[in-house]
């Protein structure tokens, strides 16, 4: 499938979404990335690959994930009807398994000897460790020490699944530093290693590949809303860090003008402080990790330290396709603070009996804030990208529960 908007290919053959994306990397790494792209394009449309991936989605992941009407929450708010796309019910507890299975199958096809990745909240790490165990390839996960301490349940799961976990203590010891560390390990042997990027970021072809694997989310939302209501939803809302769950939810609707698309970034302690990760809101076009995109950086052009209560969202860059969609005006990018996120986490838990990931709680917070302003006929679909098991101890300690 060729993805386009307004007749513009997303991405073009060089991996650009407008002026964003591309490959800003050394020649030997470009050669490795081009080989990954060739291999991906070779297998993506083959019946064998599609059938194997489809079978795993159905019988391993448990797709399609349900579309749940949050009736009690909608009634309490007194406005729009809120529906939750339950990616939290996927095997491993988040949307990450969608692209990790694809990347692991690609690594197997290419004969790679080790899969390397970064992780923030640990969901990508758990999903990739799961996929690598399934296909029988060694897996090495780089994770910031700060995130290791916050996300203990996921750390344990990765070890149980057989992944080699590398603690990253440099810099802020969070997601950006984990990416740096994982890239350095990958560069030691790009012939035998593959870097399975955990979002729609990095050099081409990863923003395209991860988008393609995640687009099943939006395709299912469209099919589910048409089957039940005979129409598209009015809003599709998702949190944005790197942006994989959001682009997965948005892609099916990019050319549907009747659907408003909203990405919710972390405002952290407030946009007026330096303690946030609102890259699209306050960043500017630049380069990071081999791609052109919006970046939060200082006057010297270095990435700023960023913050979010959600470990999976504290990244100073963002997917190049999101950067393009912001400039195009097709997606509205909003924010939610740490406090709004915590409030949404507790509200959804106690009103609907669903404990959401702190990342996903940003999107829930937007819906809680905006739904009362909209009519009862309005349908908001929130991509509930992950479950909150990994965050429960941290939240309980923070709120003194």
């Amino acid at each position: 499938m060729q993805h386009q908007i307004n007749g513009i290919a997303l991405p073009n053959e060089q991996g650009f979404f407008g002026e964003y994306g591309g490959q800003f990397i050394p020649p030997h790494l470009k050669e490795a990335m081009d080989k990954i792209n060739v291999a991906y394009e070779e297998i993506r449309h083959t019946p064998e690959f599609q059938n194997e991936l489809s079978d795993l989605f159905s019988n391993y992941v448990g797709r399609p994930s349900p579309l749940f009407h949050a009736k009690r929450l909608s009634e309490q708010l007194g406005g729009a009807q809120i529906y939750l796309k339950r990616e939290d019910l996927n095997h491993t507890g988040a949307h990450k398994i969608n692209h990790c299975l694809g990347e692991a199958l690609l690594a197997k096809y290419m004969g790679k000897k080790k899969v390397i990745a970064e992780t923030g909240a640990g969901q990508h790490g758990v999903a990739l460790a799961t996929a690598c165990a399934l296909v029988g390839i060694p897996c090495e996960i780089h994770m910031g020490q700060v995130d290791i301490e916050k996300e203990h349940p996921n750390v344990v799961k990765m070890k149980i699944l057989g992944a080699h976990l590398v603690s990253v203590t440099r810099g802020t010891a969070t997601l950006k530093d984990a990416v740096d560390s994982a890239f350095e390990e990958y560069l030691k042997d790009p012939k035998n290693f593959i870097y399975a990027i955990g979002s729609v970021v990095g050099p081409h072809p990863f923003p395209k590949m991860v988008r393609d694997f995640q687009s099943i989310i939006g395709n299912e939302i469209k099919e589910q809303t048409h089957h039940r209501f005979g129409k598209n939803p009015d809003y599709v809302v998702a949190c944005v860090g790197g942006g994989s769950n959001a682009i997965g939810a948005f892609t099916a609707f990019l050319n549907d003008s009747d659907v408003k698309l909203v990405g919710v970034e972390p405002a952290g302690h407030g946009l007026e402080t330096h303690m946030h990760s609102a890259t699209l809101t306050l960043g500017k076009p630049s380069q990071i990790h081999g791609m052109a995109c919006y970046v939060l950086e200082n006057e010297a052009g270095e990435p700023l330290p960023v913050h979010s209560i959600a470990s999976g969202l504290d990244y100073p860059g963002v997917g190049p396709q999101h950067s393009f969609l912001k400039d195009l005006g097709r997606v509205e990018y909003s924010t939610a603070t740490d406090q709004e996120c915590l409030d949404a986490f507790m509200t959804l838990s106690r009103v609907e009996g669903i404990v959401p990931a702190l990342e996903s709680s940003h999107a829930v917070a937007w819906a809680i804030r905006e739904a009362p302003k909209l009519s009862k006929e309005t349908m908001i679909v929130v991509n509930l990208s992950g479950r909150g098991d990994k965050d429960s101890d941290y939240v309980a300690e923070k709120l003194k529960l």
Side-chain angles (χ1 to χ4, degrees):
M1 177 182 177
Q2 177 64 55
H3 296 278
Q4 294 187 347
I5 187 169
N6 298 343
I8 303 169
L10 299 176
N12 66 15
E13 290 186 2
Q14 289 73 45
F16 281 94
F17 302 83
E19 64 183 275
Y20 304 102
Q23 295 175 318
F24 296 90
I25 47 180
H28 70 289
L29 186 53
K30 183 184 187 313
E31 182 181 354
M33 290 292 137
D34 288 344
K35 286 180 179 177
I36 292 172
N37 186 47
V38 169
Y40 172 63
E41 292 297 337
E42 282 176 356
I43 69 166
R44 64 183 294 201
H45 298 302
T46 64
E48 295 80 10
F49 180 78
Q50 289 296 330
N51 290 339
E52 185 171 9
L53 190 60
S54 178
D55 178 70
L56 289 171
F57 278 158
S58 298
N59 300 311
Y60 191 69
V61 179
R63 305 204 70 91
S65 60
L67 186 68
F68 172 73
H69 185 194
K71 293 179 184 176
R72 293 192 68 232
L73 181 61
S74 300
E75 287 171 4
Q76 283 194 16
L77 295 171
Q81 300 305 299
I82 297 172
Y83 289 79
L84 306 174
K85 180 59 172 164
R86 298 292 308 276
E87 292 297 290
D88 60 309
L89 294 180
N90 293 343
H91 178 45
T92 70
H95 70 291
K96 296 289 186 179
I97 192 68
N98 298 331
H99 69 257
C100 285
L101 285 173
E103 289 178 332
L105 290 175
L106 178 62
K108 178 183 173 184
Y109 172 81
M110 295 183 73
K112 298 295 185 179
K113 302 294 190 291
K114 182 167 76 171
V115 178
I116 299 165
E118 85 297 331
T119 194
Q123 287 301 140
H124 174 61
V126 169
L128 192 64
T130 299
C132 287
L134 179 68
V135 302
I137 298 178
C139 177
E140 179 174 301
I141 307 294
H142 294 241
M143 188 173 188
Q145 183 60 35
V146 168
D147 296 331
I148 286 175
E149 292 168 6
K150 281 174 67 177
E151 306 292 359
H152 180 70
N154 277 347
V155 171
V156 173
K157 286 179 190 173
M158 284 183 270
K159 291 179 178 179
I160 289 172
L161 289 160
H164 172 56
L165 188 69
V166 176
S167 172
V168 180
T169 56
R170 70 175 73 171
T172 59
T174 55
L175 183 56
K176 176 200 171 289
D177 309 291
V179 174
D180 291 340
S181 177
F183 251 120
E184 288 171 12
E185 178 64 20
Y186 169 65
L187 286 173
K188 292 177 182 177
D189 191 0
K191 180 179 179 181
N192 290 303
F193 299 166
I194 188 169
Y195 184 12
I197 294 175
S199 192
V200 285
V201 297
H204 177 64
F206 281 94
K208 172 185 71 174
M209 277 176 36
V210 174
R211 185 270 317 273
D212 290 351
F213 293 133
Q214 289 295 347
S215 64
I216 192 170
I217 300 172
N219 291 338
E220 286 183 3
I221 293 172
K222 178 172 277 193
E223 185 175 328
Q224 288 165 326
T225 56
H226 278 252
H227 176 72
R228 287 166 66 176
F229 310 108
K231 64 171 188 171
N232 284 331
D234 297 293
Y235 289 84
V236 177
V237 186
C239 66
V240 177
S244 60
N245 93 90
I247 215 70
F250 296 164
T251 295
F253 301 100
L254 287 178
N255 292 298
D256 295 336
S257 59
D258 58 326
V259 183
K260 297 180 177 65
L261 306 174
V262 182
V264 188
E265 295 192 297
H269 293 177
L271 296 179
E272 72 282 359
T273 74
H274 65 282
M275 298 286 284
H276 64 78
S277 300
T279 305
L280 290 160
T281 306
L282 293 177
K284 62 180 182 179
S286 188
Q287 294 176 17
I288 188 173
H289 292 140
M291 62 176 169
C293 64
Y294 273 77
V295 183
L296 288 167
E297 59 185 19
N298 60 23
E299 293 177 359
E302 299 167 338
L304 286 168
V306 290
H307 162 80
S308 171
I309 195 171
S311 296
L313 301 183
D314 57 356
Y315 183 58
V318 69
Q321 187 168 349
H322 284 292
S323 302
F324 172 72
L325 293 171
K326 171 189 166 66
D327 286 1
L328 195 64
R330 177 62 187 96
V331 179
E332 173 194 344
Y333 292 96
S334 185
T335 63
T337 65
D338 283 356
Q339 188 59 55
E340 288 177 307
C341 170
L342 275 173
D343 291 345
F345 179 99
M346 294 304 297
T347 297
L348 192 63
S349 298
R350 292 184 172 179
V351 174
E352 295 288 357
I354 297 171
V355 182
L358 285 172
E359 290 78 12
S360 318
S361 297
H362 286 76
V364 176
W366 184 93
I368 289 173
R369 188 173 71 214
E370 300 298 324
K373 305 173 187 176
L374 301 167
S375 73
K376 290 186 178 181
E377 290 71 42
T378 303
M379 184 197 313
I380 297 174
V381 174
V382 174
N383 191 25
L384 200 70
S385 56
R387 66 180 180 229
D389 304 32
K390 65 186 180 59
D391 301 312
S392 297
D393 289 345
Y394 174 76
V395 170
E397 182 180 342
K398 194 166 186 66
L399 296 180
K400 307 277 192 289
L401 299 178

